[in-house]
Amino acid sequence: MNQKCAIVKSLLRGEVLSIMNGFHWFSCTNIPREIGRSVERPFGVTVSRINKDAISKYGQPCNYFEYRLNRTPMNAEGILKMEAYVSEIENKPYSPPVKRGPKTLNPKKDDKQEKLFG
């Protein structure tokens, strides 16, 4: 798998990308450039950009962007192209991740005690 395929697959999974995790996950030092050059233009999709404000460890204000692929009707055709590209690179059909419902909490020990003494 190449870097472009890894970025595309990550966006298809619904992951939020930033400069930091782009460097750690894909060894890509400029994820904004790669989003535009390797994802948006070839596949005809629009990746949303959310501006985030933060404070550096030295107390200085800074900002960065988070990138996400929204599954909108406008991006539908491009998403199909992206899935076909991943299938071609991996030599197997692309299967999207399974969405599971919310997790259920196990009953607490306090609930059992409440039933005994309540």
Side-chain angles (χ1 to χ4, degrees), residues 16-31:
V16 178
L17 303 181
S18 67
I19 290 176
M20 180 66 80
N21 60 24
F23 180 73
H24 287 291
W25 295 348
F26 317 116
S27 300
C28 178
T29 57
N30 195 345
I31 198 78

Side-chain angles (χ1 to χ4, degrees), residues 48-98:
S48 66
R49 291 157 172 80
I50 299 169
N51 190 5
K52 295 287 186 173
D53 294 322
I55 303 289
S56 73
K57 69 179 183 178
Y58 303 108
Q60 297 297 314
C62 60
N63 66 344
Y64 63 96
F65 285 90
E66 290 182 340
Y67 302 91
R68 177 185 321 233
L69 178 65
N70 297 322
R71 294 189 174 267
T72 61
M74 182 179 71
N75 285 341
E77 186 178 331
I79 289 172
L80 292 176
K81 289 179 188 176
M82 291 168 73
E83 291 173 352
Y85 174 75
V86 171
S87 297
E88 179 184 329
I89 295 296
E90 292 187 336
N91 292 324
K92 63 179 182 180
Y94 174 76
S95 58
V98 177

